[in-house]
Amino acid sequence: MSVASAAARRSAAMTVWPQLEPLLPQVSKPIQYVGGELGAVVKDWDSAAVRWALMYPDAYEVGLPNQGVQILYEVLNELPDVLAERTYAVWPDLERLMRAHGVPQFTVEAHRPVGAFDLLGVSFATELGYTNLLTALDLAGIPLLAVDRTEAHPVVLAGGHAAFNPEPIADFLDAAVLGDGEEAVLEITDIVRAWKEEGRPGGRDELLLRLARTESVYVPRFYDVDYLPDGRIRRVAPNRPDVPFRVHKRTTMDLDAWPYPKKPLVPLAETVHERYAVEIFRGCTRGCRFCQAGMITRPVRERSITTVGQMVQQGLEYSGFSEVGLLSLSSADHSEIGDICSGLAERYAGTNVSLSLPSTRVDAFNIELAQELSRNGRRTGLTFAPEGGSERIRRVINKMVSEEDLIRTVVTAYTNGWRQVKLYFMCGLPTETDEDVLQIARLAHEVIKAGREATGSKDIRCTVSIGAFVPKPHTPFQWAAMERPEVIDNRLKLLKQAINADRSLGRAIGFRYHDGEPSLIEGLLSRGDRRVGAVIRKVWENGGRFDGWSEHFSFQRWVEAAAEVLPQFGVDLDWYTVREREQTEVLPWDHLDSGLDKDWLWQDWQDALAEYEQDDCRWTPCFDCGVCPSMDTEIQVGPTGRKLLPLTPVRGLRMPATSSR
Amino acid sequence: MPVAYSQGFTPHPKISYASAAPTGVASEAEYLEIGLCEEVDPAELRIALDAALSPGLDILDAVVAGPGSLADRIDASRWRIELPGVDPAVLRHAVSAFLAAPEVPVERMTKQGRRVFDARGAVVSIDVISTTEAPSEVEGVPCAILEVVVRQVTPSVRPDDVLSGLRVVADLAPPVPPRATRLAQGTLTAQGEIVDPLEADRDGAAIGER
Ligand code: B12
Ligand code: SF4
């Protein structure tokens, strides 16, 4: 028998497929567990030097389209001696069967047990995935607590936006990476490869130490947290000499050099987004004070119009998708967004390719773009996010848009053929009163009145969508008190009444809202410290799963777990959520460096309270938020002055390069 | 593929599946029709489509559709159902009881809710296959194998309905989930044979190797 076939047999023996397959007819949507997507990579287990399992801790239908995971998956699999596979949260029906039949957490490509990989990288876009992490670890046979793990277990590594405060899950993690992952995963791969080649000197401890020494991989076990008698943190400090006091975020510069995903995954099962998404830039300096994403991804780095055009062309050709999403935190802000949109619209005119752009900025320019994008006649709906109902509160959150501008923009949309406009708002913002929220009703009424006048038609609608504000780490609102769910829910009730107070106008206004309760828990998790880990564990033990799904989320379960676990530390749920922090308080994430200067953040918080606005550093001088000098980065924006040239239309069949099958 | 799209605000690619296999069963004989907006060589189409699909989804053949719809040419399926852990003698007994019954009412959750319908009428033939070798991945236990020809009816009678029928008439309860594979579908002849629905369009010469 040849060596190759022996190896193939051994890796074939590793698959859990024979045990998993008979369970699949008994669960809902079994296709999400079978893999085999276009773009999926299956490599030989034995010839890989470093093996990554990448997880998005939510259901396949949400996790598969995730850009972060797709990018890292491709970057890693491009290395010949590295293997990366994906795993997602399994639904409770399959979890039950897996436990009954002893089937471990598996990857979807080759159905390998997650516990056999060198690393388990988990992408947290939101904190609501924490309980799903515990399910995956437990199903994988990986001890929940990092201290109980041995060399036989994967290094459990968190990334994504929520990893900017991983303290609530610190006990369950071996490491966390702050910021962009492209270069980080390559560096981590090199460290793991070298350590394995050297015969794993010093065991797991040495490996984690090597990772920590990069100063951009956070290893929670190397830091001790001391508390004051009143429950606040006294200090967080390294417990060994050779690890850094602060861990810094990673920033991928020159997005043109990282044109991923090139080979997007095309799911067989239905997912939340079936489109080719391309990030047109990263970072945002609009400076909305509630927005963690904008704060932690600075500075702005644009991808050039030429690269965007090329990525779209190749991505569509590879995948066969017929929708393109131009992604970023505020897509209309790209220096060449007009040329990108018209260039792409021109290129794909007469085909079934449609373009979409998550537009949030409220101005006439956005309507022009939207018109460009809906050339084929589809004007389904436009979304704007004024976020705050009154001009006063919009100054507090630094979302600079006047009421006249807002109404003018929406009316322009109506007169240009849109019948439906969605307006996004937040409730429970710092300094907010009932009156600020009631202004939303007035605004919506004005919008409908003006719209009816301008179009002479009663057939126009607007939807008010409103959710509760959650203060996030590394933002000026990190010190703010949350509003209690009762207050939020009452304000939403008042708002609904005010909208419907005028029957004629109220009929044209839809009202969608999220209850205050889930947001309070999100608040606990986002600004929590290591003591919150015990709450997460308790909730999970009591059956908590899929907390991002209203049908699975149980507020009661979280409240009870918090009441059971937190008093031993002298704190409680309120302490974490509705309490305002002082300037001198040590925050749980102070040792994690997003580049933002804490003094600048505090000043911005004071400016918020004084209703003083802050401009954008792309168009006004640098206002010293701290990121660029401390991270050694700079703003990268166009314009390049280039245009997208027409494509030669591809006709007929596209034959595979090698028709081996 | 230069696939054709429907008209309207939300154009859909013109693809229609004729009597697709239910979730959780294997199949070696699925058929679909694709509307194209350009003429292509069916052999090349087969290769291109096969290359784009997941491993395990293999395109075996493509022909230019003649007149009439594909659905009209499919009125029956042949299934093989493997029952690991079931003694062939026990299965034979259950099958005789099934055949002897004029009607076998079974229950299933459908999109419209719980429905009761007859599983017997649509079954053209049902045989216990005698085989000396156990199917793959079955070790150490007996494994009975059924071959069933089922007519296309509404609501459709699926392999699990036939198994439910065997439970109804003879209390047959397989210890592990049985595995069903569709072996063929097509036009049912008077002799109970199933004719490949693409046969008529093939002009005698096979396009694409099988
Ligand atoms: C598309 C999108 C969605 C889609 C698709 C989600 C998906 N499957 O990916 C949908 C509509 C489903 C969605 C839903 C939600 N979203 Co969303 N979404 C976005 C959006 C617009 C783009 C995300 C993206 O693709 N970014 C680009 C990728 C490349 O970045 P990335 O994922 O962060 O990955 C990089 C790094 O973080 C890192 N990395 C990531 N994972 C890992 C793992 C490891 C191990 C390592 C080392 C590194 C690493 O490397 C990557 C490459 O550099 C962002 C805004 C934005 N532009 O980021 C909001 C955003 C991420 N969403 C957000 C929120 C709040 C939500 C919801 C909770 C909303 C809600 N209330 O329901 C849900 C949660 C869904 C869920 N359960 O996860 C917030 C996150 C808030 C925060 N942390 O501050 C954002 C930032 C928007 C915002 N400004 O508020 N969202
Ligand atoms: S350091 Fe200056 S230029 Fe850089 S993101 Fe902050 S404000 Fe903008």
Side-chain angles (χ1 to χ4, degrees), chain A residues 36-41 60 63-75 77-78 86 88 109 259-268 271 273-279 308 310-325 327 654, chain B residues 52 54:
Chain A
E37 306 94 339
L38 184 67
V41 180
Y60 180 89
L64 180 122
N66 180 259
Q67 284 274 301
V69 170
Q70 290 205 19
I71 291 172
L72 303 183
Y73 181 70
E74 211 176 327
V75 165
N77 274 321
E78 279 183 0
R86 292 161 294 127
Y88 303 94
E109 288 84 355
Y260 297 90
K262 300 174 192 164
K263 296 180 173 174
L265 290 158
V266 183
L268 297 174
T271 60
H273 282 139
E274 281 152 19
R275 64 181 186 196
Y276 178 62
V278 49
E279 289 174 277
V308 170
Q310 197 174 6
M311 285 178 70
V312 169
Q313 184 191 351
Q314 287 169 357
L316 290 182
E317 213 166 89
Y318 178 82
S319 64
F321 282 131
S322 54
E323 191 185 328
V324 176
L327 242 133
R654 192 163 51 82
Chain B
S54 307

Side-chain angles (χ1 to χ4, degrees), chain A residues 97-155:
Chain A
L97 287 169
M98 286 164 69
R99 289 187 190 282
H101 293 84
V103 178
Q105 178 80 22
F106 55 86
T107 56
V108 292
E109 288 84 355
H111 300 94
R112 287 166 172 144
V114 164
F117 287 75
D118 297 315
L119 296 127
L120 171 61
V122 190
S123 182
F124 288 104
T126 127
E127 300 83 7
L128 298 172
Y130 290 164
T131 48
N132 283 357
L133 167 71
L134 297 192
T135 309
L137 291 177
D138 191 48
L139 283 173
I142 302 171
L144 292 188
L145 294 178
V147 289
D148 296 336
R149 293 175 199 149
T150 70
E151 247 180 84
H153 300 114
V155 169

Side-chain angles (χ1 to χ4, degrees), chain A residues 106-341:
Chain A
F106 55 86
T107 56
V108 292
E109 288 84 355
H111 300 94
R112 287 166 172 144
V114 164
F117 287 75
D118 297 315
L119 296 127
L120 171 61
V122 190
S123 182
F124 288 104
T126 127
E127 300 83 7
L128 298 172
Y130 290 164
T131 48
N132 283 357
L133 167 71
L134 297 192
T135 309
L137 291 177
D138 191 48
L139 283 173
I142 302 171
L144 292 188
L145 294 178
V147 289
D148 296 336
R149 293 175 199 149
T150 70
E151 247 180 84
H153 300 114
V155 169
V156 180
L157 174 79
H161 291 180
F164 275 82
N165 176 24
E167 289 301 87
I169 48 169
D171 290 345
F172 315 122
L173 296 178
D174 294 298
V177 169
L178 281 62
D180 294 336
E182 289 86 351
E183 291 160 300
V185 294
L186 295 178
E187 191 176 336
I188 292 168
T189 299
D190 286 342
I191 291 173
V192 172
R193 185 196 288 111
W195 172 78
K196 282 177 79 177
E197 272 169 8
E198 291 163 30
R200 305 175 190 243
R204 197 177 179 84
D205 195 63
E206 163 82 16
L207 174 61
L208 293 175
L209 190 59
R210 289 188 187 186
L211 291 172
R213 282 204 204 111
T214 61
E215 304 200 356
S216 63
V217 179
Y218 173 50
V219 179
R221 72 174 60 177
F222 296 151
Y223 297 80
D224 287 338
V225 184
D226 294 328
Y227 300 95
L228 294 164
D230 67 2
R232 287 178 302 155
I233 294 174
R234 186 197 308 274
R235 62 180 197 137
V236 181
N239 55 24
R240 50 196 305 162
D242 34 9
V243 296
F245 272 89
R246 297 190 84 201
V247 181
H248 313 293
K249 78 160 178 182
R250 303 291 306 232
T251 311
T252 302
M253 297 303 288
D254 189 6
L255 293 194
D256 284 353
W258 297 91
Y260 297 90
K262 300 174 192 164
K263 296 180 173 174
L265 290 158
V266 183
L268 297 174
E270 206 175 316
T271 60
V272 290
H273 282 139
E274 281 152 19
R275 64 181 186 196
Y276 178 62
V278 49
E279 289 174 277
I280 58 174
F281 63 88
R282 278 196 193 156
C284 177
T285 37
R286 290 242 153 210
C288 302
R289 293 181 172 124
F290 53 83
C291 181
Q292 186 193 39
M295 293 288 162
I296 61 179
T297 57
R298 296 174 174 200
V300 171
R301 290 145 287 149
E302 284 188 357
R303 189 166 262 150
S304 72
I305 177 170
T306 349
T307 307
V308 170
Q310 197 174 6
M311 285 178 70
V312 169
Q313 184 191 351
Q314 287 169 357
L316 290 182
E317 213 166 89
Y318 178 82
S319 64
F321 282 131
S322 54
E323 191 185 328
V324 176
L326 301 177
L327 242 133
S328 78
L329 286 169
S330 176
S331 292
D333 284 346
H334 191 287
S335 64
E336 288 176 296
I337 188 66
D339 286 338
I340 292 180
C341 290

Side-chain angles (χ1 to χ4, degrees), chain A residues 638-650:
Chain A
T640 61
R642 296 212 197 91
K643 303 273 183 271
L644 291 178
L645 303 173
L647 296 176
T648 357
V650 199

Side-chain angles (χ1 to χ4, degrees), chain B residues 24-203:
Chain B
V25 305
S27 177
E28 295 177 358
E30 295 299 301
Y31 294 87
L32 73 153
E33 255 173 327
I34 305 175
L36 298 177
C37 54
E38 243 176 79
E39 265 186 42
V40 298
D41 175 2
E44 288 195 344
L45 178 94
R46 187 200 73 76
I47 294 170
L49 198 52
D50 193 43
L53 282 173
S54 307
L57 287 178
D58 297 325
I59 304 292
L60 301 177
D61 199 357
V63 300
V64 177
S69 88
L70 180 58
D72 291 342
R73 299 182 190 176
I74 295 185
D75 47 29
S77 287
R78 188 163 67 245
W79 294 93
R80 196 215 335 261
I81 308 174
E82 296 167 0
L83 299 113
V86 173
D87 183 340
V90 173
L91 182 61
R92 237 172 261 126
H93 171 77
V95 164
S96 317
F98 185 85
L99 285 171
E103 228 176 75
V104 180
V106 296
E107 223 182 50
R108 190 201 331 138
M109 277 306 280
T110 68
K111 282 198 188 98
Q112 289 80 38
R114 196 159 280 288
R115 284 190 69 167
V116 178
F117 53 94
D118 175 32
R120 173 66 188 89
V123 172
V124 180
S125 67
I126 175 166
D127 299 297
V128 180
I129 303 295
S130 46
T131 157
T132 45
E133 73 186 81
S136 61
E137 293 160 27
V138 177
E139 282 163 26
V141 287
C143 180
I145 300 176
L146 266 183
E147 231 177 79
V148 196
V149 174
V150 187
R151 227 188 308 269
Q152 209 73 54
V153 290
T154 319
S156 63
V157 172
R158 314 185 312 199
D160 52 323
D161 301 320
V162 174
L163 292 169
S164 302
L166 294 175
R167 185 166 344 108
V168 169
V169 296
D171 263 340
L172 185 84
V176 291
R179 297 184 310 205
T181 307
R182 178 184 259 161
L183 300 178
Q185 354 175 29
T187 321
L188 189 67
T189 65
Q191 292 74 40
E193 295 291 302
I194 289 178
V195 179
D196 179 353
L198 301 192
E199 201 57 53
D201 298 326
R202 214 175 259 127
D203 282 337

Side-chain angles (χ1 to χ4, degrees), chain A residues 285 298-300 617-618 621-629 633-635:
Chain A
T285 37
R298 296 174 174 200
V300 171
C617 58
R618 273 169 294 181
C622 166
F623 46 76
D624 291 325
C625 76
V627 173
C628 293
T633 53
E634 59 183 9
I635 302 176

Side-chain angles (χ1 to χ4, degrees), chain A residues 510-526:
Chain A
F511 184 57
R512 295 194 11 197
Y513 63 95
H514 297 285
D515 299 326
E517 292 183 344
S519 306
L520 194 77
I521 300 309
E522 218 186 310
L524 166 74
L525 297 174
S526 69

